[in-house]
Amino acid sequence: MSIGVFDSGVGGLTVHRALVNRLPQADFIYLADQANAPYGGRPGEEVVNLTRAGCERLFDAGASVVVLACNTASAIALRRLQQTWLPGYRKALGRPVNVLGIIVPTIEAATGLPWEHEAERRGDKVEQLDVLGVFSTQGTTNSRVYEIEIDKRKQDIAVFSQACPDLVPMIEADAGAVDLAKAVEGYVQALKNRIGRYPDRAVLGCTHYEIIADIFRAALPAGTPMIQQPAATADALERYFERHPELDPGTGGGRVFLTTGEPGPQNALVQTFWGGPLRFEAA
Ligand code: DGL
């Protein structure tokens, strides 16, 4: 058995890298849906169907758990798949399997509370609150998943999401640091104008933003804490396997990389996400 990691494309390699480093003995299969990326601007129904197809491919390949290393898929598809598809699929497969996302671990890191926690209603004003700014794709922002889920468990955190629709295309087109800094500055200022001040903490809620974390850091007031999804997801996955001995992550240290796009050696951008040279096989 193995751990499947699914992303719309290659940004999820930032998360994958942290998972592999945390569980080096486990067998991993990464699937990049490059033929259909990006997901950030797609209608929700398409994101659900593509994510389900990706999970099926990974379970077929022997995954016991699939991690959706994509905020857009986690925000839009995860709950739907867990409720409407996974129970029947699990039964048909005849073995225990599960699908996990990267938003739960991020929220756990942001609130310090486990997923099950539900808060009492409070009526604090925004000036007294711990204000969390979430930068993400249009799809994740529209889903309001961070606002809804954080509000359920910690009402002294006010969440403001900022869609940054230009960033994924710019990063994929290898935009220069100056242009990226200008775009990030624009999004940070747009968020600040809506809140009336800078956020106290920030979530980089898109796989691609990890590699421009320094640009976000420079655009935010010095020292603004940032919640890093790769580390938060690795922490959560390690704890998950401790609680679920029935799910087997494998012990052979295998590393398989599949793509629905162009197989073969990958370009410099992919190497930046992964942190080294990489070959994809055809999915
Ligand atoms: N992986 C996506 C995410 O984290 C970004 C790329 C896309 O839009 O597909 O939201």
Side-chain angles (χ1 to χ4, degrees), residues 174-196:
D174 202 16
V178 172
D179 290 339
L180 282 165
K182 216 181 279 169
V184 168
E185 180 66 27
Y187 292 129
V188 169
Q189 288 307 314
L191 183 67
K192 182 189 169 214
N193 291 341
R194 278 177 35 235
I195 303 173

Side-chain angles (χ1 to χ4, degrees), residues 7-9 11-12 37-41 69-73 102 137 140 168 172 205-208 229:
D7 183 41
S8 55
Y39 282 10
C70 173
N71 283 272
T72 310
I102 56 172
T137 65
T140 301
V168 166
E172 300 227 335
C206 171
T207 49
H208 284 53
Q229 291 195 299

Side-chain angles (χ1 to χ4, degrees), residues 45-96:
E45 212 47 38
E46 286 182 22
V47 174
V48 172
N49 290 335
L50 292 169
T51 304
R52 188 184 54 233
C55 290
E56 283 176 353
R57 178 69 186 86
L58 286 164
F59 288 133
D60 279 351
S64 59
V65 168
V66 171
V67 179
L68 303 181
C70 173
N71 283 272
T72 310
S74 300
I76 294 173
L78 180 60
R79 187 159 288 195
R80 270 273 297 283
L81 295 181
Q82 282 175 334
Q83 287 173 348
T84 63
W85 167 74
L86 198 56
Y89 185 79
R90 200 179 270 139
K91 212 179 260 174
L93 212 56
R95 62 181 172 94

Side-chain angles (χ1 to χ4, degrees), residues 53-193:
C55 290
E56 283 176 353
R57 178 69 186 86
L58 286 164
F59 288 133
D60 279 351
S64 59
V65 168
V66 171
V67 179
L68 303 181
C70 173
N71 283 272
T72 310
S74 300
I76 294 173
L78 180 60
R79 187 159 288 195
R80 270 273 297 283
L81 295 181
Q82 282 175 334
Q83 287 173 348
T84 63
W85 167 74
L86 198 56
Y89 185 79
R90 200 179 270 139
K91 212 179 260 174
L93 212 56
R95 62 181 172 94
V97 291
N98 207 1
V99 183
L100 310 172
I102 56 172
I103 290 177
V104 173
T106 309
I107 290 176
E108 285 180 348
T111 61
L113 293 171
W115 190 233
E116 300 76 28
H117 185 91
E118 294 253 340
E120 296 288 318
R121 284 255 143 229
R122 296 175 51 149
D124 296 346
K125 298 208 181 76
V126 79
E127 306 86 67
Q128 304 158 343
L129 298 171
D130 176 11
V131 175
L132 185 71
V134 180
F135 298 94
S136 65
T137 65
Q138 193 69 56
T140 301
T141 300
N142 290 351
S143 77
R144 302 195 71 250
V145 68
Y146 284 97
E147 285 89 334
I148 293 166
E149 297 300 340
I150 290 178
D151 188 60
K152 275 190 207 160
R153 50 191 57 77
K154 206 159 178 2
Q155 284 165 7
D156 52 0
I157 299 182
V159 182
F160 288 83
S161 286
Q162 177 63 46
C164 312
D166 291 342
L167 292 186
V168 166
M170 284 180 79
I171 292 169
E172 300 227 335
D174 202 16
V178 172
D179 290 339
L180 282 165
K182 216 181 279 169
V184 168
E185 180 66 27
Y187 292 129
V188 169
Q189 288 307 314
L191 183 67
K192 182 189 169 214
N193 291 341

Side-chain angles (χ1 to χ4, degrees), residues 232-252:
T233 309
D235 289 346
L237 190 65
E238 193 175 23
R239 290 197 303 269
Y240 184 82
F241 277 113
E242 281 162 15
R243 292 199 307 277
H244 290 278
E246 77 282 9
L247 293 165
D248 177 10
T251 54

